[in-house]
């Protein structure tokens, strides 16, 4: 019997786990992915790397700011001074370093998709592909639209999630040896509202060719949500080359990625949710807003609610 199981090792799940560990518990985290961090992700291969999910983090909450200060002091994060108006912080050598720092020392089971979560006489039954687990308490920290399939559409918590909305985001990762006209560009009127030279962020490996990440606007992403990675690259690459003034012949690498649930547009407006029996808690960015910080605050709030319920 596991005392506390956490489903999802995104920032919400990791923040919950850290809080519980600090209170003397030993939560077990299950994640279906190969890496940890969820949408805070870095893809590596062929001598290049890309932060293809969250680009940077900012902090308004003092506790989250203190957490980032700790990562800055330990070298797993760095300031990215490309915008004088915002204090942008990135993981180094990649955004996934933030998740790794948060997950340090925790019991995280990767490649472990929880297919169903049901209440039974002794607590909660977690059904995985090759194994089953029992837990006394569970925190579910996955995107809201995926919760019903996990806990059952008839669970009383599910209707509460109905108002939550996300925008999708098609993302292009590309390498070109053309000169870089800028290091990042935010233009909310463009079909590529965000373009960043990933390789120009601090702490990236030296001798990388200019590696670019471009994000498609929600309308463009929604219209082409069924494209595969090659199709996404074919759609977005001409747009990126146009914005960079780069000759397509100088592109060395291009691959796409689809984030079906990328940025929260309508959050729940509560920091976490709990079942009537107080042994199941839900957390995620969708509780509060579209940023990493929102996920972190929600995960901590779920852990605090669980600790309160455990007495
Ligand atoms: C393209 C993009 C750009 C972004 N840019 C920024 C930015 O610049 N700054 C910013 O602050 N935020 C940004 N965000 C938003 C930010 O990444 C998210 O708000 C935050 O990372 C969400 O964390 P989370 O823990 O709530 O969810 P997630 O990161 O989605 O984590 C959920 C985890 O649950 C796992 N999971 C799901 N179902 C199961 C299951 N059944 N069993 C086991 N595991 C499961 C998943 O594998 C995943 O690891 C961006 C997001 C995207 C996609």
């Amino acid at each position: 019997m596991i005392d506390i199981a956490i489903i999802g090792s995104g920032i919400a799940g990791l923040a919950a786990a850290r809080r519980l560990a600090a209170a003397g518990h030993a939560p077990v985290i299950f994640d279906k992915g190969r890496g940890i961090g969820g949408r805070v992700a870095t893809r590596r291969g062929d001598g290049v790397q890309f932060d293809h999910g969250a680009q940077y983090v900012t902090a308004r909450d003092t506790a989250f700011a203190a957490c980032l200060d700790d990562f800055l002091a330990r070298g797993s994060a760095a300031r990215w001074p490309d915008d004088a108006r915002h204090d942008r912080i990135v993981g180094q050598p990649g955004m996934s370093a933030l998740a790794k720092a948060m997950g340090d020392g925790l019991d995280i089971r990767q490649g472990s998709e929880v297919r169903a979560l049901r209440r039974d006489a002794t607590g909660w039954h977690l059904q995985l592909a090759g194994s089953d687990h029992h837990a006394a308490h569970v925190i579910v920290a996955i995107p809201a639209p995926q919760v019903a399939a996990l806990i059952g559409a008839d669970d009383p918590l599910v209707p509460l999630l109905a108002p939550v909305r996300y925008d999708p985001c098609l993302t292009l990762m590309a390498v070109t040896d053309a000169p870089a006209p800028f290091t990042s560009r935010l233009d909310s009127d463009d079909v590529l509202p965000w373009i960043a030279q990933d390789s120009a962020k601090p702490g990236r490996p030296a001798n990388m060719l200019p590696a670019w990440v471009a994000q498609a606007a929600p309308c463009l992403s929604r219209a082409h949500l069924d494209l595969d990675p090659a199709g996404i690259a074919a759609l977005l690459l001409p747009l990126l080359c146009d914005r960079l003034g780069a000759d397509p012949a100088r592109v060395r690498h291009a691959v796409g990625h689809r984030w079906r649930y990328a940025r929260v547009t309508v959050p729940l407006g509560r920091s976490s949710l709990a079942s009537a029996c107080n042994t199941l808690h839900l957390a995620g960015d969708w509780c509060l807003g579209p940023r990493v910080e929102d996920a972190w605050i929600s995960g901590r709030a779920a852990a605090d609610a669980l600790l309160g319920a455990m007495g």
Side-chain angles (χ1 to χ4, degrees), residues 275-299:
S275 63
C277 59
N278 258 321
T279 55
L280 172 65
H281 295 255
L282 306 185
D285 58 349
W286 53 269
C287 288
L288 293 171
R291 298 178 309 123
V292 169
E293 180 177 28
D294 297 308
W296 189 87
I297 293 171
S298 173

Side-chain angles (χ1 to χ4, degrees), residues 116-219:
L117 177 68
R118 296 289 180 270
R119 192 141 190 241
D120 63 20
T122 54
W124 293 91
H125 177 102
L126 286 74
Q127 185 197 323
L128 281 78
S131 60
D132 286 6
H133 296 272
H134 276 86
H137 310 89
V138 180
I139 294 178
V140 171
I142 68 177
Q146 298 174 335
V147 170
L150 183 66
I151 68 175
D154 55 346
D155 189 287
L157 290 175
V158 168
L160 303 179
L161 310 183
V164 173
R165 294 282 180 275
Y166 286 78
D167 271 340
C169 181
L170 301 184
T171 299
L172 173 67
M173 295 160 265
V175 172
T176 165
D177 58 8
F182 49 78
T183 52
S184 72
R185 194 194 76 148
L186 182 61
D187 179 354
S188 50
D189 294 328
D190 193 14
V191 289
L192 291 187
W194 173 257
I195 301 173
Q197 191 189 356
D198 217 76
S199 46
K201 290 178 177 173
R204 269 48 189 169
N207 72 24
M208 260 174 73
L209 287 170
W212 293 92
V213 169
Q215 296 171 353
C219 55

